[in-house]
Amino acid sequence: MALRAALSNKCGVSSVAVMHMQNPPVNSLSLGFLTEFCIAVEKLEMDKSCRGLIVTSSQPKVFSAGLDIMDMYGKSPEHCAEFWRAVQEMWLKLYTSNMVTIAAINGSSPAGGCLMSLTCDYRIMADNPRYSIGLNETQLGIVAPFWFKDTMINTVGHRTTEMALELGLLYSSSDALKIGLVDQLVPEDQVLATATKTMTKWLAIPDHARQITKSMMRKPTIDKLTSNRETDIQFFVNFITKDSIQKSLGMYLGMLKKRKS
Ligand code: CO8
């Protein structure tokens, strides 16, 4: 099972869902995982009693390793297109959510894992110097798409994003806090409890006012993708299936394996 979702009513009368991502070993965002994730978020979105969603990991040391590289390596254009649509869908479901969304980042969160947490309203990370977070795509020889870039700009500003993306920077938890990539650091064993406490504060705001404000802030970024979805998919497929890009991915995969030996 890729997800463990539980609804609780710890925050007064409203329900808060806690989603524990469970896709061993590193919660990579594969096509299957993303499909299941999106269905789960959609169900919660339709459940009017559910006002908040906390996303966390049940894997030790890793929140999410980002997009599953195996879904982009040596795959047919049709598979790549289906995969990319699922990545877009995950971003759209979370970034447009009416629920209060909190990322309880209890481990490393590179690339797509960082993107997922950036879609949330608030980010709490485990205070552990071994954990890192950031959009490191250029290190793989690939380019973060415009909507990854826009989501980061909306969080930390233009200059910081420019440097972070060009260098493919992965930040330690304390550096991530300094640049505003995460909002709060807490000891590892308190990440989920702090997320629950923070949720209570956010849920004290009337939903309609908070939701309209959220939508006003995010709409231009969302519209940019929704009006260019098919072009974005085509661009991704053409880019990722290039021989040179496949070679870079292959080398990166090799490097990941070699680190272990
Ligand atoms: N996809 C697939 N497999 C992965 C991934 C991944 N993203 N990350 C790790 N793995 C695999 C490893 O190869 C290893 O496999 P095996 O056991 O067969 O050797 C296994 O998972 C365990 O990995 P580690 O031993 O490295 O686990 P650690 O706990 O030591 O480290 C980390 C965990 C820190 C998450 C580490 O695995 C890591 O850094 N992974 C790579 C993360 C990364 O760079 N992800 C980028 C993915 S690309 C992306 O998300 C956005 C792409 C946008 C594309 C745009 C194009 C236009």
Side-chain angles (χ1 to χ4, degrees):
M1 181 157 99
L3 284 167
R4 210 153 38 80
L7 267 178
S8 72
N9 63 351
K10 279 188 190 136
C11 300
V13 287
S14 20
S15 296
V16 172
V18 182
M19 234 184 229
H20 297 261
M21 294 186 282
Q22 199 170 10
N23 192 21
V26 288
N27 281 341
S28 59
L29 307 174
S30 61
L31 176 58
F33 179 86
L34 287 166
T35 306
E36 196 177 332
F37 184 87
C38 288
I39 291 170
V41 175
E42 194 171 329
K43 275 189 187 152
L44 293 170
E45 202 71 58
M46 286 185 320
D47 177 350
K48 292 300 160 215
S49 74
C50 181
R51 296 173 60 215
L53 169 64
I54 296 170
V55 182
T56 193
S57 162
S58 56
Q59 297 310 122
K61 302 185 295 180
V62 183
F63 177 73
S64 164
L67 305 192
D68 196 316
I69 299 169
M70 300 315 290
D71 271 303
M72 303 186 278
Y73 184 64
K75 292 288 187 285
S76 68
E78 292 73 24
H79 180 93
C80 292
E82 194 188 351
F83 175 61
W84 199 245
R85 192 179 297 282
V87 179
Q88 291 178 334
E89 199 59 34
M90 176 273 289
W91 182 83
L92 285 167
K93 287 262 179 313
L94 287 174
Y95 211 50
T96 63
S97 176
N98 274 324
M99 296 180 281
V100 173
T101 51
I102 296 182
I105 310 166
N106 50 347
S108 286
S109 196
C114 175
L115 178 78
M116 179 187 261
S117 70
L118 283 172
T119 61
C120 292
D121 295 301
Y122 196 79
R123 282 161 288 286
I124 299 162
M125 189 169 183
D127 190 2
N128 185 330
R130 278 175 308 167
Y131 297 163
S132 62
I133 181 165
L135 295 181
N136 61 322
E137 279 77 359
T138 53
Q139 287 193 32
L140 286 73
I142 55 180
V143 180
F146 70 88
W147 40 287
F148 284 46
K149 178 251 318 167
D150 288 343
T151 316
M152 180 133 172
I153 288 178
N154 292 349
T155 311
V156 300
H158 196 281
R159 173 60 187 146
T160 303
T161 301
E162 180 172 292
M163 202 157 65
L165 291 194
E166 284 193 41
L167 295 172
L169 293 180
L170 283 172
Y171 296 87
S172 66
S173 49
S174 58
D175 286 343
L177 180 68
K178 269 187 213 143
I179 63 159
L181 191 57
V182 298
D183 299 298
Q184 194 177 349
L185 295 188
V186 296
E188 194 153 350
D189 59 354
Q190 287 167 37
V191 173
L192 199 50
T194 309
T196 308
K197 223 163 90 189
T198 308
M199 183 62 83
T200 312
K201 196 169 90 186
W202 281 70
L203 291 181
I205 305 297
D207 277 344
H208 69 282
R210 183 190 49 74
Q211 286 163 356
I212 293 169
T213 306
K214 180 171 176 174
S215 160
M216 180 176 68
M217 295 298 294
R218 296 184 172 197
K219 193 172 181 303
T221 308
I222 292 160
D223 286 350
K224 234 165 112 182
L225 179 62
T226 46
S227 57
N228 285 297
R229 248 186 116 165
E230 296 309 318
T231 316
D232 183 59
I233 292 172
Q234 209 43 59
F235 179 85
F236 171 78
V237 172
N238 291 341
F239 180 82
I240 212 72
T241 54
K242 276 191 171 70
D243 285 348
S244 57
I245 302 301
Q246 286 292 308
K247 204 169 147 205
S248 291
L249 285 179
M251 280 163 60
Y252 188 76
L253 274 170
M255 185 278 289
L256 275 179
K257 306 249 176 255
K258 227 191 278 162
R259 270 191 336 174
K260 295 172 95 172
S261 53

